[in-house]
Amino acid sequence: MIKKPRMVQISEIVQESKDVKTFTFNIKSILSNYSIQYQDPTPGEFLMVWVPGIDEIPMSLSGFNNNKDWSITVKEVGECTEMLFNLEKSDLVGIRGPFGNGFQIPEFNFNNQLNIVVGGGIGMAPLIPLISELIKLKIKIIVIEGVKSKEEIIFKKYLKNYLIENETFYISTDDGSYGYKGFATDLFNSIIEKEIEKGNKINQVYSCGPEQMMYELFHICEKFNISFQGSLERMMRCGFGMCGLCVLDPSGIRVCREGPILDSKILRTCTDFGKYNRDFSGKKNTI
Amino acid sequence: MIKKPRMVQISEIVQESKDVKTFTFNIKSILSNYSIQYQDPTPGEFLMVWVPGIDEIPMSLSGFNNNKDWSITVKEVGECTEMLFNLEKSDLVGIRGPFGNGFQIPEFNFNNQLNIVVGGGIGMAPLIPLISELIKLKIKIIVIEGVKSKEEIIFKKYLKNYLIENETFYISTDDGSYGYKGFATDLFNSIIEKEIEKGNKINQVYSCGPEQMMYELFHICEKFNISFQGSLERMMRCGFGMCGLCVLDPSGIRVCREGPILDSKILRTCTDFGKYNRDFSGKKNTI
Amino acid sequence: MSEFFKKIAEKPFILASGILGVSYSSMKRIFEGGAGAVVTKSIGPILRKGYKNPSIIEILPGTFINSVGLANPGIDNFISEIKELKQNNITTIVSVFGDSIETYTQVAVKAQDAGADAIELNISCPHAEISIICQNKQLTYEYVVAVKKELKIPLIVKLSPNVTDIGEIALSAEKAGADAITAINTVNAMVIDIETQRPILSHGSGGLSGKAIHPIAVKKMFDLYKIVRIPIFGCGGVFTGEDAIEFFLAGASAVQIGSALYQDYNAITNIINSAKKYLEVHNYKSFSDIVGNAHKFETQEAPDF
Amino acid sequence: MSEFFKKIAEKPFILASGILGVSYSSMKRIFEGGAGAVVTKSIGPILRKGYKNPSIIEILPGTFINSVGLANPGIDNFISEIKELKQNNITTIVSVFGDSIETYTQVAVKAQDAGADAIELNISCPHAEISIICQNKQLTYEYVVAVKKELKIPLIVKLSPNVTDIGEIALSAEKAGADAITAINTVNAMVIDIETQRPILSHGSGGLSGKAIHPIAVKKMFDLYKIVRIPIFGCGGVFTGEDAIEFFLAGASAVQIGSALYQDYNAITNIINSAKKYLEVHNYKSFSDIVGNAHKFETQEAPDF
Ligand SMILES: Cc1cc2nc3c(=O)[nH]c(=O)nc-3n(C[C@H](O)[C@H](O)[C@H](O)COP(=O)(O)OP(=O)(O)OC[C@H]3O[C@@H](n4cnc5c(N)ncnc54)[C@H](O)[C@@H]3O)c2cc1C
Ligand SMILES: Cc1cc2nc3c(=O)[nH]c(=O)nc-3n(C[C@H](O)[C@H](O)[C@H](O)COP(=O)(O)OP(=O)(O)OC[C@H]3O[C@@H](n4cnc5c(N)ncnc54)[C@H](O)[C@@H]3O)c2cc1C
Ligand SMILES: Cc1cc2nc3c(=O)[nH]c(=O)nc-3n(C[C@H](O)[C@H](O)[C@H](O)COP(=O)(O)O)c2cc1C
Ligand SMILES: Cc1cc2nc3c(=O)[nH]c(=O)nc-3n(C[C@H](O)[C@H](O)[C@H](O)COP(=O)(O)O)c2cc1C
Ligand code: FES
Ligand code: FES
């Protein structure tokens, strides 16, 4: 794990959509310069990304490979992400991590069960390495990407390499400009009902996206008795369990450490989920 | 290596002679209580032995086994060794180490060559694990123990288990009260001459004892072109190369770190050897 | 002995301020893990976001630098958290700061009214304006006197190691009516990123905590124990039972644990169990039996000539 | 720039006092390893054995505590060592202490007469009587003025981190005529053995050095660079090229290396080479090009509200 922020050169920038870019960097130089022990990341883990002079913010790993190229996929939403967007190939960015627990991935696909992956907008980012892993493990999956409008679709080309659109890969747009018209939650609900009708058992739903979306997905899963894993976002200072800013009530679960991936068992106890979070001062705000 | 002094219980005390005792302790408790990584010691390495409230002094390891029983063999010469002598079985003593380089031991006995081990008095202590190792490696050895008088002989029983007295194991006494009458250096000289006459090649001499003795042995070896390794004593504060108290002129060799075992190549350059050492203030004193 | 100090004496392990002290739920976990009390994050008169990130970094194994900058929601927003703590029967020390004697007092009184069992006065955060107080015995005296006057509950004063003579500050706090001392807050420090050439923390410098400062804190404890009569809570780099025992031997009545708790939530239980094991093995009944024992030995005061 | 400072500017890596500084031969090794100068062990007016063992202990990886207690053979016995150093063309800084202004001055003058290139005034050893000087700006002034008056060679004053405001002490030394500052000496600390319950060092407490104090030393350097105009030598926990570069960026004109040198004799060469590599990679010609660069950036002075 990289504990002190270390600068790394951006090797590639891909514009995924108008306000989403993927930044790739190779961490070999960090590992060798500072003799850091390397462990493969797990899908769902995140980095703290430092833009010197601006801020340091959490970003999920949207990719990593054997060559130790890591990537993050960033949506421009404020000051720090804007500064990230100004960076060019060869520019430096600081990283530490990876932090967090990552998704729990089944070791094999017993009984040919079906897993469903639902991403909302930029929430697709941590799901990409998860989907790659599930495909590698030959686990049957359906992927749903929900966005507001056609222009916001990301990773479509990548996903279509592995999945067949409208069979194992669905897109929903709120405005109907592409694919299913409506919320990803509705699409999800109808897919589930269809699969159950077909006699298929869904044994796991993975999700990342707006908390309201995940909140609804979770409750649909509860209704159908399906295990759920969602990647939560909370304000983060330390990223490794010290400051307490990202803690959930009443369990004390730290989103940065015991999370960010939380499963049904934990979410059932959680009074914050879908309700409130905290700002950088620690003050509670309703979501 | 044990870096911070750690207390260990004395498991056995053996009176070797009037003023020499061997203390044995098992270091497993230290290793597990403080999760210290263990490495087998090398013959010739030493510990810093702490008698709380009194002093902390260097002591060679005179034994160690697979069960992690370590031992030191101590001659009572002053305040701290006297306090050590007052300790009983189950009492605690503090240790850190092992420090130093240890003897260079040949990996196998090529050409059936002969090694000679010469100890002077308490100088036998670090030679015991060396002798065990050489015997284990089936290397042909002759051991000479030189003492002032019969009462000072130590480890005789142990050595006679492995070596045949007056054939591969000799004792000299200054006063002739046992074995060869005279200095170990003279005995050594005559043994060498005999072996050379027999056409045997001596390829290594190991020694520990009074510096004057080693100084003479070294010069005999130089005359006969035999490599020599001697264990030097210097005042030690840190024991691991920081304070500089044990440094030799003009090489800067630290007896506690690059030593205490110094070979012919180093001794040839050394202007202190047999001439002067330093007291605890750093002041030079002639030997 | 007051109710509060009785509780501490029974379980002399306390969560240090600023670590997992934002919400009642993390403090509850630490309390359930065996702590005798928890200290909340330092709370001020108004909401404060503190310094930007990076603000907490691990720079050596178990050693951290931070410049959180007293981020906190303000006492009014924090009252609900104190009430939750008390509803869960958690012995609660509210850490308090302000920007004047008046605001210090106001926050302390509001915390007391919300149910706090004790107040810890933070006059020693090294990367904030308030550090000036703990560097001056007169200022320390004035602040402590003023706050103490308005309190019915015990007042603990938290001191800084970044001073020439922590003893004179502690004496001043004691004279002013402090019921206990916490020593130490973090040590002034800085880390620079050599690629960008800038300090890593957004504030530039910050406070060192964790393993590196433990021997510094033990020395302060040893010195303070000779000087003040009120209980002293040892704080700084407790990661193991051994670290805690060192504090007791140096003179601590209780031990605060901060940085170490970034680990799994059972870290605090492991530390406490290992410290209790020490008592058992050495035939002591309670931690109070060993407080100050390191002072029994003569050390070499003058060097040999 | 005097001859001495020119040499330092060329090779701004200096052996710190008290590490491998007893005999000319170890200092020669360090000098040959690439140091621009060596500081000898602190030398006093008379032979002094210092504190008994244990007096130097590694307590965390790369972090040490020591209470050597200014052991030294006395200036008269040490003159031969200084002469050997000069015969070997080694740029030699003799570290000096005493028990009064007079003895400080006497030792410094004797060292100068023996051929020292500069004097480093040790007024900051934390486990000896002399530490009182560096805690007081008036005393610092008086000692520095008096010694400086008798010297033709440069005078460096070594400061302690164990003070509320190192800046005012440094200013005092500068005003008194110091030609350079070394910061920092070791940090006050203590380690207790829990089995015997006694402090491990025979003196009880000692000075912390090595990795743990590096971020503390960098902060002092950063603060001092803003205040004094004379060169400052950074000292504390330099183990890598990166550590050295941090010091230069914070404002050091040169870097002293102590604890790290317990390793193989090539440790100093490795540190210097790695620091030089940094210059090369970043297209700098010399270390002076980066001195103080960390001050170019704005840090967040006031927290966000
Ligand atoms: C575990 C985790 C993984 C994330 N992964 C991604 C990702 O893969 N791609 C992506 O685009 N975004 C991701 N985010 C969200 C991302 O961190 C925010 O979009 C980013 O911090 C915005 O910074 P800003 O300065 O541009 O916006 P600002 O204007 O500073 O703030 C906008 C919003 O960003 C969030 N934010 C700001 N600072 C922090 C912080 N320190 N910690 C948490 N949230 C913060 C807050 O919700 C804030 O209201 C993730 C967040 C978390 C917690
Ligand atoms: C590497 C090494 C290995 C040694 N191995 C053994 C051994 O196996 N058995 C054994 O009996 N002795 C050994 N010695 C010698 C032993 O360290 C001294 O006999 C012991 O320190 C005496 O301590 P004291 O307090 O009893 O005597 P003191 O009255 O303090 O001094 C007597 C003499 O002991 C030596 N001595 C004292 N303190 C130290 C010190 N810190 N470092 C080095 N020498 C010191 C000095 O020569 C001194 O003049 C070894 C020494 C060294 C350097
Ligand atoms: C992230 C962090 C935040 C802190 N915040 C506060 C604080 O708000 N108030 C305070 O008095 N001390 C604060 N401290 C200091 C700790 O309470 C404690 O004094 C210090 O960290 C030393 O203890 P430790 O080594 O166990 O962490 C903080 C420390 C850390 C690491
Ligand atoms: C064993 C030891 C002995 C020391 N002796 C002295 C000394 O005699 N005079 C002095 O000014 N500083 C002395 N110091 C302090 C060092 O010179 C240096 O200031 C300190 O160790 C920090 O640097 P480092 O972390 O590189 O060791 C000593 C340090 C150590 C570890
Ligand atoms: S971000 Fe600090 S505890 Fe999670
Ligand atoms: S004893 Fe300190 S360097 Fe050898």
Side-chain angles (χ1 to χ4, degrees):
Chain A
M1 194 198 285
I2 304 164
K3 290 177 172 178
K4 201 163 142 183
R6 292 296 184 184
M7 303 310 292
V8 69
Q9 234 179 14
I10 296 168
S11 58
E12 200 192 348
I13 302 177
V14 172
Q15 185 98 35
E16 305 282 0
S17 75
K18 206 188 63 193
D19 55 2
V20 175
K21 280 184 183 178
T22 295
F23 301 83
T24 304
F25 33 81
N26 189 289
I27 63 149
K28 277 185 203 158
S29 61
I30 298 181
L31 299 179
S32 67
N33 288 348
Y34 308 107
S35 15
I36 291 167
Q37 255 196 311
Y38 177 79
Q39 247 198 316
D40 276 320
T42 307
E45 290 179 351
F46 66 94
L47 301 178
M48 293 299 288
V49 176
W50 180 33
V51 184
I54 308 297
D55 205 347
E56 189 202 37
I57 54 176
M59 282 290 152
S60 302
L61 279 166
S62 64
F64 44 85
N65 62 22
N66 286 338
N67 189 39
K68 303 195 171 62
D69 297 302
W70 286 5
S71 62
I72 54 171
T73 301
V74 181
K75 183 176 165 121
E76 191 183 340
V77 300
E79 193 190 4
C80 194
T81 48
E82 191 187 323
M83 291 307 293
L84 267 172
F85 264 55
N86 290 339
L87 296 182
E88 290 171 19
K89 206 172 137 170
S90 297
D91 282 348
L92 295 175
V93 71
I95 57 167
R96 59 187 173 99
F99 298 114
N101 60 347
F103 289 101
Q104 292 164 51
I105 298 172
E107 271 169 48
F108 49 70
N109 180 15
F110 57 102
N111 294 337
N112 209 26
Q113 285 177 343
L114 180 65
N115 285 359
I116 301 183
V117 180
V118 189
I122 187 65
M124 287 304 293
L127 299 176
I128 293 298
L130 171 72
I131 292 166
S132 302
E133 183 69 18
L134 292 172
I135 288 171
K136 213 164 68 192
L137 292 170
K138 300 208 157 63
I139 289 169
K140 234 171 80 189
I141 54 169
I142 288 175
V143 174
I144 301 171
E145 173 174 346
V147 290
K148 290 216 186 82
S149 182
K150 193 181 165 185
E151 313 81 61
E152 293 187 5
I153 299 169
I154 52 177
F155 300 126
K156 188 171 82 181
K157 229 169 104 187
Y158 174 85
L159 290 170
K160 280 174 78 171
N161 268 338
Y162 302 99
L163 302 165
I164 304 153
E165 204 172 336
N166 294 324
E167 220 169 278
T168 57
F169 169 39
Y170 299 86
I171 292 178
S172 73
T173 53
D174 298 358
D175 64 3
S177 50
Y178 189 93
Y180 176 90
K181 179 181 160 104
F183 293 139
T185 44
D186 296 333
L187 175 57
F188 173 73
N189 204 30
S190 73
I191 286 174
I192 285 200
E193 283 175 350
K194 215 166 10 176
E195 292 295 332
I196 290 178
E197 231 164 69
K198 283 200 253 170
N200 288 336
K201 183 148 166 43
I202 297 138
N203 72 320
Q204 187 70 244
V205 169
Y206 302 95
S207 180
C208 181
E211 193 152 324
Q212 275 310 333
M213 179 194 92
M214 288 197 287
Y215 185 76
E216 283 175 41
L217 289 175
F218 168 62
H219 282 288
I220 297 170
C221 286
E222 288 293 276
K223 202 174 67 192
F224 289 105
N225 216 351
I226 302 168
S227 351
F228 177 86
Q229 290 179 42
S231 177
L232 249 67
E233 275 187 27
R234 283 295 179 272
M235 270 293 182
M236 288 184 183
R237 226 184 225 290
C238 66
F240 55 84
M242 184 177 278
C243 70
L245 191 56
C246 68
V247 161
L248 298 178
D249 291 336
S251 61
I253 294 264
R254 294 166 291 189
V255 172
C256 72
R257 192 166 182 108
E258 284 83 35
I261 316 300
L262 302 177
D263 64 16
S264 312
K265 221 179 105 192
I266 288 172
L267 290 173
R268 264 173 228 137
T269 72
C270 177
T271 54
D272 324 41
F273 184 44
K275 302 276 184 342
Y276 59 90
N277 58 23
R278 287 170 195 276
D279 68 17
F280 215 48
S281 78
K283 181 172 166 284
K284 275 186 198 172
N285 294 311
T286 47
I287 293 181
Chain B
M1 194 197 286
I2 304 164
K3 292 177 171 178
K4 201 164 143 182
R6 292 296 184 184
M7 303 309 293
V8 69
Q9 234 177 16
I10 296 168
S11 58
E12 200 191 349
I13 302 176
V14 173
Q15 184 98 35
E16 306 282 0
S17 76
K18 204 189 65 193
D19 55 2
V20 175
K21 280 185 184 178
T22 294
F23 300 84
T24 303
F25 33 81
N26 189 290
I27 64 148
K28 277 186 203 156
S29 61
I30 297 181
L31 300 178
S32 68
N33 287 348
Y34 307 106
S35 13
I36 291 168
Q37 255 196 311
Y38 176 79
Q39 248 198 315
D40 275 322
T42 307
E45 290 179 350
F46 66 93
L47 301 177
M48 294 297 290
V49 176
W50 180 35
V51 184
I54 308 298
D55 205 346
E56 189 201 37
I57 53 175
M59 280 290 152
S60 301
L61 279 165
S62 64
F64 44 85
N65 61 22
N66 287 337
N67 189 39
K68 303 192 170 65
D69 296 302
W70 287 5
S71 62
I72 55 172
T73 301
V74 182
K75 180 173 168 123
E76 192 181 341
V77 300
E79 193 189 6
C80 194
T81 47
E82 189 186 325
M83 290 307 293
L84 267 171
F85 264 56
N86 289 340
L87 296 182
E88 289 172 17
K89 205 173 138 171
S90 297
D91 282 348
L92 295 175
V93 71
I95 57 167
R96 58 187 174 99
F99 298 114
N101 61 347
F103 288 101
Q104 293 164 50
I105 299 172
E107 270 168 46
F108 50 72
N109 180 14
F110 58 102
N111 293 338
N112 210 26
Q113 287 177 343
L114 179 64
N115 286 357
I116 302 184
V117 180
V118 189
I122 187 65
M124 286 304 291
L127 298 176
I128 293 299
L130 171 72
I131 292 165
S132 302
E133 184 68 19
L134 293 172
I135 290 172
K136 216 165 65 191
L137 292 170
K138 303 207 157 57
I139 290 170
K140 235 170 79 188
I141 55 171
I142 289 176
V143 174
I144 302 172
E145 174 173 345
V147 292
K148 291 215 185 80
S149 181
K150 192 179 168 188
E151 314 81 62
E152 291 186 7
I153 300 168
I154 53 177
F155 302 126
K156 188 171 81 179
K157 230 170 104 188
Y158 173 86
L159 291 169
K160 281 175 76 172
N161 269 339
Y162 301 99
L163 302 165
I164 304 155
E165 207 172 334
N166 294 323
E167 219 170 280
T168 57
F169 167 42
Y170 300 86
I171 291 178
S172 73
T173 53
D174 299 356
D175 62 3
S177 51
Y178 190 94
Y180 177 91
K181 179 179 160 102
F183 293 139
T185 44
D186 297 332
L187 175 56
F188 172 73
N189 204 30
S190 72
I191 287 175
I192 283 198
E193 284 175 350
K194 218 172 358 179
E195 292 296 332
I196 289 177
E197 230 164 72
K198 283 198 254 169
N200 288 337
K201 182 151 169 40
I202 296 139
N203 71 321
Q204 186 71 247
V205 170
Y206 303 95
S207 179
C208 181
E211 194 152 323
Q212 276 309 336
M213 178 193 92
M214 288 197 288
Y215 185 76
E216 283 177 40
L217 288 176
F218 168 64
H219 283 288
I220 297 170
C221 286
E222 287 292 276
K223 201 175 65 192
F224 289 104
N225 216 353
I226 302 168
S227 356
F228 177 84
Q229 291 178 41
S231 177
L232 248 69
E233 275 188 28
R234 284 294 178 275
M235 271 292 182
M236 289 186 182
R237 229 185 222 290
C238 66
F240 55 84
M242 184 177 277
C243 69
L245 191 56
C246 67
V247 161
L248 298 179
D249 292 336
S251 61
I253 294 263
R254 294 166 291 190
V255 173
C256 71
R257 189 166 185 109
E258 285 83 33
I261 315 300
L262 302 177
D263 62 18
S264 312
K265 220 179 103 191
I266 290 174
L267 290 173
R268 265 172 228 137
T269 73
C270 180
T271 54
D272 324 41
F273 184 43
K275 302 276 184 342
Y276 58 90
N277 57 23
R278 287 169 195 276
D279 68 16
F280 215 48
S281 78
K283 180 172 166 283
K284 275 186 196 171
N285 294 311
T286 46
I287 292 181
Chain C
M1 197 160 35
S2 80
E3 201 54 39
F4 170 76
F5 283 105
K6 257 187 225 148
K7 283 181 186 163
I8 300 291
E10 263 167 45
K11 295 182 173 181
F13 296 87
I14 302 171
L15 169 68
S17 179
I19 289 90
L20 296 174
V22 175
S23 53
Y24 83 93
S25 48
S26 47
M27 293 187 262
K28 185 164 172 271
R29 285 286 285 265
I30 303 292
F31 192 76
E32 286 166 353
V38 298
V39 186
T40 69
K41 174 117 210 54
S42 288
I43 303 297
I46 57 164
L47 182 150
R48 176 169 159 137
K49 287 191 184 140
Y51 298 117
K52 281 201 172 142
N53 272 356
S55 58
I56 309 179
I57 299 292
E58 183 170 0
I59 55 173
L60 287 172
T63 295
F64 305 84
I65 187 168
N66 91 80
S67 62
V68 169
L70 297 173
N72 81 98
I75 182 67
D76 296 331
N77 287 316
F78 196 70
I79 298 245
S80 63
E81 231 56 68
I82 302 175
K83 292 199 164 146
E84 287 276 13
L85 284 163
K86 291 316 300 171
Q87 265 156 35
N88 283 279
N89 281 316
I90 294 162
T91 310
T92 303
I93 303 167
V94 178
S95 173
V96 158
F97 77 97
D99 49 15
S100 65
I101 291 192
E102 292 68 41
T103 50
Y104 261 99
T105 311
Q106 278 160 22
V107 177
V109 168
K110 281 183 182 176
Q112 168 173 268
D113 292 347
D117 295 284
I119 299 296
E120 184 173 272
L121 220 58
N122 179 359
I123 54 172
S124 51
C125 179
H127 40 274
E129 324 80 75
I130 57 169
S131 64
I132 196 170
I133 305 172
C134 70
Q135 290 173 1
N136 181 307
K137 61 182 173 186
Q138 186 53 32
L139 277 180
T140 300
Y141 184 84
E142 287 166 18
Y143 275 74
V144 174
V145 158
V147 176
K148 177 67 189 171
K149 214 172 59 189
E150 304 302 326
L151 290 186
K152 294 171 212 74
I153 55 177
L155 179 62
I156 306 153
V157 178
K158 184 160 179 185
L159 298 185
S160 165
N162 306 307
V163 295
T164 307
D165 182 0
I166 197 174
E168 67 169 26
I169 311 290
L171 267 181
S172 211
E174 182 179 51
K175 224 171 44 183
D179 299 289
I181 299 283
T182 297
I184 56 174
N185 212 316
T186 54
V187 179
N188 249 317
M190 178 180 270
V191 181
I192 296 171
D193 173 65
I194 66 170
E195 285 306 318
T196 58
Q197 307 197 331
R198 55 162 85 234
I200 292 181
L201 296 176
S202 64
H203 176 54
S205 64
L208 204 65
S209 70
K211 286 181 194 278
I213 72 166
H214 182 62
I216 302 174
V218 169
K219 167 67 171 155
K220 299 292 180 205
M221 176 58 64
F222 195 82
D223 292 348
L224 286 173
Y225 185 72
K226 292 189 181 155
I227 293 174
V228 298
R229 284 148 189 270
I230 50 178
I232 318 165
F233 301 160
C235 182
V238 172
F239 272 69
T240 62
E242 184 183 20
D243 298 330
I245 298 296
E246 269 189 271
F247 264 134
F248 290 118
L249 294 171
S253 296
V255 164
Q256 291 196 356
I257 309 175
S259 300
L261 304 181
Y262 83 98
Q263 306 173 93
D264 294 340
Y265 265 118
N266 54 14
I268 182 138
T269 314
N270 295 341
I271 295 170
I272 296 173
N273 286 347
S274 147
K276 282 186 177 160
K277 182 83 192 249
Y278 174 91
L279 293 189
E280 210 181 290
V281 169
H282 294 80
N283 281 313
Y284 293 107
K285 281 213 216 69
S286 87
F287 291 104
S288 63
D289 294 347
I290 62 168
V291 172
N293 274 7
H295 294 262
K296 289 186 186 163
F297 301 95
E298 264 187 50
T299 51
Q300 199 185 356
E301 288 313 310
D304 288 336
F305 283 93
Chain D
M1 197 160 33
S2 80
E3 202 55 38
F4 171 76
F5 283 105
K6 257 187 227 148
K7 283 181 186 162
I8 300 292
E10 261 166 47
K11 295 182 175 183
F13 295 86
I14 303 171
L15 170 68
S17 178
I19 289 90
L20 296 173
V22 175
S23 54
Y24 84 93
S25 48
S26 48
M27 293 187 263
K28 185 163 172 271
R29 284 287 286 262
I30 303 292
F31 192 75
E32 285 166 354
V38 298
V39 186
T40 68
K41 175 119 210 52
S42 288
I43 303 297
I46 57 165
L47 182 150
R48 177 168 157 137
K49 287 192 185 138
Y51 298 117
K52 281 201 172 143
N53 272 354
S55 58
I56 309 178
I57 299 293
E58 183 170 1
I59 55 173
L60 286 172
T63 296
F64 306 84
I65 188 168
N66 91 80
S67 61
V68 169
L70 297 172
N72 82 97
I75 182 66
D76 296 332
N77 287 316
F78 197 69
I79 299 248
S80 62
E81 240 39 82
I82 302 175
K83 292 199 164 147
E84 288 275 13
L85 284 162
K86 290 316 301 171
Q87 265 157 35
N88 283 279
N89 281 316
I90 294 163
T91 310
T92 304
I93 304 167
V94 177
S95 173
V96 159
F97 76 96
D99 51 14
S100 64
I101 290 191
E102 291 67 40
T103 50
Y104 261 99
T105 310
Q106 277 160 21
V107 177
V109 168
K110 282 183 182 176
Q112 168 174 269
D113 294 346
D117 296 283
I119 300 294
E120 184 174 271
L121 219 58
N122 180 358
I123 54 171
S124 50
C125 179
H127 40 274
E129 324 79 76
I130 57 168
S131 65
I132 195 169
I133 304 171
C134 72
Q135 289 172 0
N136 182 306
K137 60 182 173 187
Q138 185 54 31
L139 277 179
T140 299
Y141 184 84
E142 287 166 17
Y143 275 74
V144 175
V145 158
V147 176
K148 176 67 189 170
K149 215 172 57 190
E150 305 301 326
L151 290 187
K152 294 171 211 75
I153 54 178
L155 179 61
I156 306 154
V157 178
K158 183 158 177 187
L159 299 185
S160 164
N162 306 307
V163 295
T164 307
D165 182 1
I166 195 173
E168 66 169 28
I169 311 290
L171 267 181
S172 210
E174 181 178 51
K175 223 170 45 183
D179 299 290
I181 298 284
T182 297
I184 56 177
N185 212 314
T186 53
V187 179
N188 248 316
M190 177 180 269
V191 181
I192 297 170
D193 173 65
I194 67 171
E195 286 307 318
T196 58
Q197 307 197 332
R198 56 163 83 232
I200 292 181
L201 296 176
S202 65
H203 175 54
S205 64
L208 205 64
S209 70
K211 285 182 195 278
I213 72 166
H214 182 61
I216 301 173
V218 170
K219 167 67 172 154
K220 300 293 182 207
M221 178 56 64
F222 194 84
D223 292 348
L224 286 173
Y225 186 72
K226 292 190 182 155
I227 292 174
V228 299
R229 285 148 188 270
I230 50 178
I232 317 164
F233 300 160
C235 182
V238 173
F239 273 69
T240 63
E242 185 183 20
D243 298 331
I245 298 295
E246 270 188 270
F247 263 135
F248 290 118
L249 295 171
S253 296
V255 163
Q256 291 195 356
I257 308 176
S259 299
L261 304 181
Y262 82 98
Q263 306 172 91
D264 293 341
Y265 264 118
N266 54 13
I268 182 139
T269 315
N270 294 341
I271 294 171
I272 295 173
N273 285 347
S274 147
K276 281 187 178 160
K277 181 84 194 244
Y278 174 90
L279 292 188
E280 208 182 291
V281 169
H282 294 80
N283 282 312
Y284 292 107
K285 281 211 216 68
S286 87
F287 291 104
S288 62
D289 294 347
I290 62 168
V291 172
N293 274 6
H295 293 262
K296 290 187 186 161
F297 301 95
E298 264 187 49
T299 51
Q300 199 186 355
E301 287 313 311
D304 289 336
F305 282 92

